Amino acid sequence: MKKKQTIWGLAMAALLLLLAARPALAHHSFAMFSMDKNVTYSGTVVEYRWENPHSHIIIKVAPGAGVDPATVGTWDIEGASINIMGRQGWNRATYKAGDPITLVAHPMKDGSKGASMFYAIRPDGSHLYQDIARPKADGSATPAQPGH
């Protein structure tokens, strides 16, 4: 009987350990993005996903005069968590489908149509950052805190 209780106790401890490690497994690195490259995407919001663990803005960039042909298409722009973005001024109503949008983001290294958002440019020219990173006087970004 005591052996059965010991096995049961070890199984429960293992389960609790796995559950505690789950949040760490959900987070990923930004190694897939070219973090040293800033690309401007101007288009129309297809979908704005205000959700965790990362918000997403799906945008469509149409061909046209002054549009970099490499940015034409539908893009999935990944932001931070809603907690982090909310502290920067974002909310679930910041954008809706059909809104015009201009984003500066770090493209995927493999060339696929995805990017990690740096900031959005509002119609008045001000910037709405997705994280705590801000540009320094020389234009380079200050690093985000570890884990973001």
Side-chain angles (χ1 to χ4, degrees):
M1 188 68 149
K2 189 166 184 153
K3 184 177 180 182
K4 199 174 192 180
Q5 288 177 335
T6 301
I7 291 171
W8 180 252
L10 288 173
M12 291 305 291
L15 179 63
L16 288 173
L17 184 61
L18 285 172
L19 289 174
R22 191 170 169 223
L25 295 173
H27 202 277
H28 63 82
S29 77
F30 290 94
M32 66 183 124
F33 302 108
S34 294
M35 298 303 285
D36 59 340
K37 189 175 186 182
N38 294 330
V39 176
T40 301
Y41 303 89
S42 292
T44 304
V45 174
V46 173
E47 185 178 358
Y48 177 53
R49 295 186 201 146
W50 182 250
E51 62 190 19
N52 281 317
H54 294 273
S55 59
H56 289 261
I57 304 174
I58 312 301
I59 67 168
K60 183 169 182 122
V61 178
V67 175
D68 179 353
T71 66
V72 172
T74 302
W75 293 83
D76 180 352
I77 311 297
E78 180 177 315
S81 70
I82 60 175
N83 183 18
I84 293 169
M85 290 180 70
R87 286 184 270 154
Q88 305 307 316
W90 296 78
N91 62 52
R92 71 177 60 254
T94 301
Y95 288 102
K96 65 183 182 313
D99 284 349
I101 191 168
T102 300
L103 297 168
V104 176
H106 311 294
M108 298 281 286
K109 287 181 179 176
D110 69 3
S112 60
K113 300 254 187 227
S116 174
M117 187 185 347
F118 185 19
Y119 59 87
I121 302 173
R122 294 176 173 160
D124 67 2
S126 65
H127 296 172
L128 184 57
Y129 290 86
Q130 62 94 29
D131 203 341
I132 59 169
R134 300 288 190 274
K136 298 178 189 173
D138 66 2
S140 63
T142 56
Q145 292 177 349
H148 295 296

